[in-house]
Amino acid sequence: MQPTPTPTPLDRIPFLKLLGMQQHEAALGRSRLCLPDLREEFCNLIPAAHGGVLMTLLDVAMARAATSLDSAASHSVVTVEMSTRFIKPGRGPLTAEGRVLHAGKSLCSCEAHVHDADGDLVASAMGTFKFWRSPPVDVE
C-alpha cells in the first residue's frame, strides 16, 4: 500500500505539478517522492521514462531531503552539481528516495535512488545543493 501524499511546495512548482510528482512523508534529512503515472509524453522511444524525467525525480528527491533538515539554512536550494547513473529502463510508477550525506552552512551533499514498481533500481545520483537564502518567488 502506498503512503498518502502530503501537500508540499511541490504542488506550487508548475513543472513538478505537470509531471504529477507527489511527496510522501519521510524522516528529517530524507525524502520520498512518487511519479504514480508515467504518461506516454514522459517516455523515450524504448518506451521507458525519459532520462530527463528520471533526473528530475533524483534532483527533487535530494533537494527535498536537504530542505527537510532542522538545521537547514533555508527551505530553498539550488543544484550546484549532480552525477547520475542510469541502471535500467524505468517503467510504470516510479519512486525516488533521497537522503542527506553531509550538510554544512551553505552546501549540502545528498544521494538519491529511483526504483520501479517491482523495487528494482532504475537510476541513482549524488549531488551538491546550495541553500538559497533569498525569499522564494511566489509561483501560482
Side-chain angles (χ1 to χ4, degrees):
M1 181 168 119
Q2 291 282 341
T4 304
T6 305
T8 69
L10 295 184
D11 301 328
R12 296 177 47 201
I13 301 171
F15 180 57
L16 303 182
K17 191 174 182 178
L18 172 71
L19 290 174
M21 193 180 298
Q22 300 173 351
Q23 180 166 335
H24 298 281
E25 291 183 32
L28 292 176
R30 293 183 176 268
S31 70
R32 183 177 167 87
L33 309 171
C34 180
L35 184 62
D37 183 20
L38 183 60
R39 301 192 318 250
E40 181 182 4
E41 58 267 36
F42 301 149
C43 294
N44 55 28
L45 295 176
I46 294 177
H50 186 279
V53 171
L54 294 172
M55 290 182 75
T56 298
L57 279 165
L58 293 162
D59 182 62
V60 175
M62 291 186 287
R64 295 301 298 151
T67 58
S68 74
L69 294 172
D70 284 339
S71 61
S74 169
H75 292 291
S76 296
V77 294
V78 293
T79 308
V80 174
E81 63 83 28
M82 181 173 155
S83 172
T84 306
R85 289 161 302 285
F86 300 101
I87 312 300
K88 67 174 273 191
R91 295 187 173 95
L94 299 171
T95 301
E97 294 182 351
R99 77 177 184 106
V100 171
L101 299 173
H102 175 77
K105 288 185 180 187
S106 63
L107 296 176
C108 188
S109 297
C110 302
E111 69 177 0
H113 306 280
V114 172
H115 293 89
D116 62 17
D118 294 328
D120 293 336
L121 182 63
V122 172
S124 63
M126 292 185 76
T128 304
F129 296 81
K130 180 169 181 50
F131 291 108
W132 193 253
R133 290 191 170 94
S134 66
V137 175
D138 190 23
V139 178
E140 294 190 33

